[in-house]
Amino acid sequence: MSDPERTKECVSPVPEPEAPQPEQPDVSMARHLKYISLGVLVFQTTNLVLTLRYSRTLKEEGPRYLSSTAVVVTELLKIMACVLLVYKDNSCSVRALNRLLHDEIINKPMETLKLAIPSGIYTLQNNLLYVALSNLDAATYQVTYQLKILTTALFSVTMLQRRLTKYQWLSMVILMAGVALVQVNPSYPFLWPMSHAVVFSPFFFLLTCSTL
């Protein structure tokens, strides 16, 4: 066998680079839904605060609606929506829905009673939100209310042993700074513009969203 033929046999063919795989439609749809859900959440939260603030400070003749009534109606609507979703997941079968509710609620009384404590705290919180919006402006309420992100992060680290990234810790620091700056007295002219510039900047909003 000649040298050129031997060399040709020893050299293995170089594999051709694979063509990039097109992005799966499910992954692309999930990514789009994530950003759409974020936008809808921001829109809903902002408009909810503004609407509640307007309804609690609107000066009209006659008695104002009770906050407890609004909380009860809201929770009833949530229950109806959840029942409809469960009904749809069970192939729109009333019998399957009744069996599922019976097995998960009636047949598990202790598990159902365990939900009484967080449910009571949640009800108290919702009533206090109406009290807060009756006495605070919408901007101060919205930023201060986001302290729940900070407490949730601290409890997840201390109790659930979760680890946060450096960007999430930075977001926590900026969130605390925003809560402190929004409380600045307007009589301090050198701090008032700076506080509103930081709190309502897109950078502050994006960093707050990164803590989720």
Side-chain angles (χ1 to χ4, degrees):
M1 184 181 296
S2 61
D3 292 339
E5 293 180 356
R6 186 177 304 169
T7 305
K8 188 175 181 180
E9 289 181 358
C10 294
V11 176
S12 59
V14 178
E16 297 182 359
E18 297 181 359
Q21 297 293 332
E23 190 174 10
Q24 298 294 332
D26 293 340
V27 177
S28 179
M29 179 64 67
R31 184 178 302 172
H32 286 19
L33 285 177
K34 179 176 67 174
Y35 293 112
I36 293 174
S37 301
L38 178 60
V40 171
L41 178 63
V42 173
F43 178 79
Q44 182 264 340
T45 304
T46 305
N47 282 274
L48 175 64
V49 172
L50 295 177
T51 305
L52 289 180
R53 170 66 179 171
Y54 177 76
S55 66
R56 297 302 292 178
T57 57
L58 183 63
K59 295 181 179 180
E60 286 189 353
E61 297 181 359
R64 185 182 299 171
Y65 69 92
L66 298 175
S67 60
S68 56
T69 303
V71 171
V72 171
V73 172
T74 303
E75 297 306 317
L76 287 177
L77 291 175
K78 291 180 182 180
I79 292 175
M80 293 174 58
C82 292
V83 171
L84 288 176
L85 291 176
V86 174
Y87 175 72
K88 182 180 178 181
D89 289 340
N90 286 274
S91 302
C92 299
S93 174
V94 179
R95 181 176 300 178
L97 175 64
N98 290 331
R99 184 171 61 252
L100 178 63
L101 295 178
H102 188 274
D103 294 340
E104 295 295 330
I105 298 177
I106 300 178
N107 289 344
K108 298 178 180 179
M110 295 305 299
E111 297 296 327
T112 305
L113 287 176
K114 289 178 181 178
L115 297 176
I117 297 177
S119 300
I121 296 175
Y122 183 70
T123 303
L124 177 62
Q125 172 195 339
N126 287 336
N127 283 276
L128 291 177
L129 293 183
Y130 283 89
V131 177
L133 281 171
S134 302
N135 297 277
L136 298 173
D137 60 274
T140 303
Y141 165 83
Q142 185 71 288
V143 178
T144 307
Y145 185 59
Q146 299 309 315
L147 277 176
K148 64 181 181 180
I149 300 177
L150 177 62
T151 55
T152 302
L154 293 178
F155 282 128
S156 64
V157 171
T158 56
M159 300 178 63
L160 302 179
Q161 304 299 321
R162 291 188 58 184
R163 306 184 71 177
L164 302 180
T165 64
K166 58 181 180 180
Y167 294 108
Q168 291 174 328
W169 281 115
L170 178 61
S171 302
M172 297 299 169
V173 174
I174 296 180
L175 177 61
M176 290 188 295
V179 173
L181 288 174
V182 82
Q183 306 294 335
V184 172
N185 195 326
S187 59
Y188 296 99
F190 61 95
L191 287 177
W192 182 252
M194 181 184 66
S195 64
H196 276 58
V198 172
V199 170
F200 298 106
S201 64
F203 179 69
F204 174 79
F205 168 74
L206 293 174
L207 283 176
T208 304
C209 291
S210 68
T211 61
L212 301 177

